[in-house]
Amino acid sequence: MKSFCLDSEANQIQNPKHLEKSLKLLRRRQRSLSRKKKGSRRRNKARILVAKAHEKVVNQRKDFLHKVANLYIKAYNTIYVEDLNIKGMIRNRYLSRSIADSSWGMFFNLLSYKAAEAGRTVVKVTPNGTSQICSGCGEKVPKSLSVRVHQCPFCKLVLDRDHNASLNILRLGQSLQALSTERVFA
């Protein structure tokens, strides 16, 4: 994973990778716990140390997610996000740890409830083809996941793949919102 998120204004928020940074300590403490005799006082102390290490990772992650959610809630009235199938993405055995470490699901939940409290709206957009469609001309430009730069052969637009997708999400979200308001007033 290149970054945690990239918005339509090309602001990129890096993924702090809290689990990756704490993995060495977690492994060491878990190994120490596994060597202790069951039922002993030292095993109980080692178990508490493992739990504290996991709790630290969780707290760091929550703090980061709250700060990012607050940043977007304060900056925008309407926030458009991709309605990702996170459970399906975690099935990929090569990316599952980094996807789980980024906690997008928790972030979307935080963003939704903070937006509701602040009187803002969060619009979920279907992710189908958001990175394949050119944000400049609307033509479909197929590419594999390993290609990180969007190059449109039709309009010659060159953008970061994620920035192109964020522009498409913004456009789709605005069109969805316009359709929903038309239905209400029609």
Side-chain angles (χ1 to χ4, degrees), residues 14-67:
Q14 293 301 318
N15 190 2
K17 299 180 183 179
H18 299 296
L19 181 65
E20 289 292 322
K21 291 176 183 173
S22 300
L23 216 48
K24 188 175 180 181
L25 175 70
L26 280 166
R27 283 184 183 138
R28 195 177 325 121
R29 287 188 177 175
Q30 191 68 45
R31 202 176 315 123
S32 172
L33 173 66
S34 70
R35 290 186 188 128
K36 306 290 189 243
K37 187 176 178 183
K38 289 189 178 177
S40 70
R41 232 183 243 163
R42 288 185 180 186
R43 181 180 174 90
N44 194 37
K45 286 180 183 179
R47 184 187 56 78
I48 290 169
L49 287 176
V50 169
K52 283 183 179 181
H54 280 290
E55 186 180 20
K56 181 178 179 180
V57 172
V58 169
N59 289 338
Q60 287 175 326
R61 189 179 294 137
K62 282 183 182 178
D63 180 58
F64 169 74
L65 295 174
H66 276 285
K67 286 177 180 175

Side-chain angles (χ1 to χ4, degrees), residues 113-131:
Y113 96 77
K114 285 177 181 278
E117 284 180 356
R120 312 282 201 265
T121 55
V122 175
V123 178
K124 290 189 174 184
V125 176
T126 180
N128 296 342
T130 53
S131 61

Side-chain angles (χ1 to χ4, degrees), residues 60-116:
Q60 287 175 326
R61 189 179 294 137
K62 282 183 182 178
D63 180 58
F64 169 74
L65 295 174
H66 276 285
K67 286 177 180 175
V68 173
N70 285 336
L71 180 112
Y72 282 112
I73 294 298
K74 288 178 184 175
Y76 305 104
N77 289 329
T78 306
I79 302 163
Y80 305 100
V81 295
E82 248 179 329
D83 190 16
L84 297 172
N85 178 11
I86 298 166
K87 286 182 182 177
M89 292 170 72
I90 287 181
R91 287 189 201 133
N92 181 337
R93 65 180 180 175
Y94 301 108
L95 298 174
S96 60
R97 183 187 291 166
S98 60
I99 290 170
D101 189 23
S102 66
S103 307
W104 286 327
M106 186 187 297
F107 174 69
F108 294 145
N109 289 339
L110 286 172
L111 194 65
S112 297
Y113 96 77
K114 285 177 181 278

